[in-house]
Amino acid sequence: MPEETTEQQYQAELLRERQREQQMNIEEAEREMELAETEDLSQTQAAGQAKAPRNTFPLSAIAVGLWLFPAAALDMFEFFGQVLAAIPFIGLPLAGASSIVGAIFSGIMVLIVGFWLLMKGVTPFSPSGIRIFLVLGATAFGNAIVNWLPAWSGFFLWLFFMAHAREALFLNKFKK
């Protein structure tokens, strides 16, 4: 019986020793990884290269820029519709018709852009998402009421600058 206990104690001691060695190997590997990371970071900073901050804005500037074309076309249509109001007798009915068509197209544009934003992961439940959807709604309402204002182009220009705001701030910080 004492031999079995001694054998079990010996095996338990061997097992503990292996576990200590494994733990020491893991800790040594972690220290080497941390050392390599800090060395890489110091080399990057010494070379004058800084990592760009991650852009958390969910929309790319190219995608937003492509939306400027239909927005500008709709704004130009509405603008020229309002310019027709200067024509005597037929101008006011044409401008009124243009306003109605512009309001309908604004409604369609809100639905399409809202769906596009949702597909891109922009929801009205995040802080930046609620701002985008509030400006989208204000653009549609304001565009339907004040039809001569180029609201859709302004909306997408605002969205474009929001998409690049972080990058622009970052670039200004490192200009010499």
Side-chain angles (χ1 to χ4, degrees):
M1 189 87 149
E3 290 179 17
E4 289 179 16
T5 308
T6 307
E7 182 69 29
Q8 288 176 349
Q9 288 174 345
Y10 178 71
Q11 288 178 354
E13 188 62 37
L14 279 176
L15 182 62
R16 282 188 212 108
E17 187 65 34
R18 286 184 195 150
Q19 287 176 344
R20 276 189 226 118
E21 287 177 10
Q22 287 177 350
Q23 185 65 29
M24 288 174 56
N25 288 341
I26 290 172
E27 289 173 359
E28 186 177 327
E30 287 176 351
R31 272 188 246 116
E32 288 177 5
M33 286 176 50
E34 288 175 5
L35 183 61
E37 286 176 4
T38 55
E39 189 175 299
D40 287 345
L41 183 60
S42 64
Q43 287 176 353
T44 302
Q45 289 175 347
Q49 300 170 349
K51 291 183 180 179
R54 199 183 93 211
N55 190 357
T56 58
F57 196 73
L59 301 173
S60 74
I62 294 172
V64 174
L66 290 175
W67 275 98
L68 276 171
F69 293 114
L74 181 61
D75 286 338
M76 291 308 294
F77 167 77
E78 292 171 348
F79 175 75
F80 287 126
Q82 295 304 315
V83 170
L84 291 176
I87 301 172
F89 300 111
I90 60 168
L92 287 177
L94 286 175
S98 171
S99 294
I100 292 170
V101 171
I104 291 170
F105 275 110
S106 283
I108 293 169
M109 191 92 159
V110 163
L111 293 176
I112 292 171
V113 172
F115 183 69
W116 173 71
L117 288 170
L118 290 173
M119 295 299 290
K120 290 291 186 178
V122 180
T123 63
F125 305 115
S126 67
S128 64
I130 196 158
R131 275 183 279 163
I132 293 171
F133 274 92
L134 283 173
V135 174
L136 176 65
T139 299
F141 181 75
N143 194 43
I145 301 301
V146 186
N147 216 356
W148 51 267
L149 183 68
W152 285 109
S153 299
F155 171 74
F156 283 106
L157 283 171
W158 172 80
L159 203 57
F160 178 82
F161 287 119
M162 276 189 60
H164 276 297
R166 183 179 292 269
E167 293 174 20
L169 289 173
F170 177 76
L171 291 175
N172 286 335
K173 186 186 291 186
F174 292 103
K175 281 187 178 176
K176 291 183 179 179

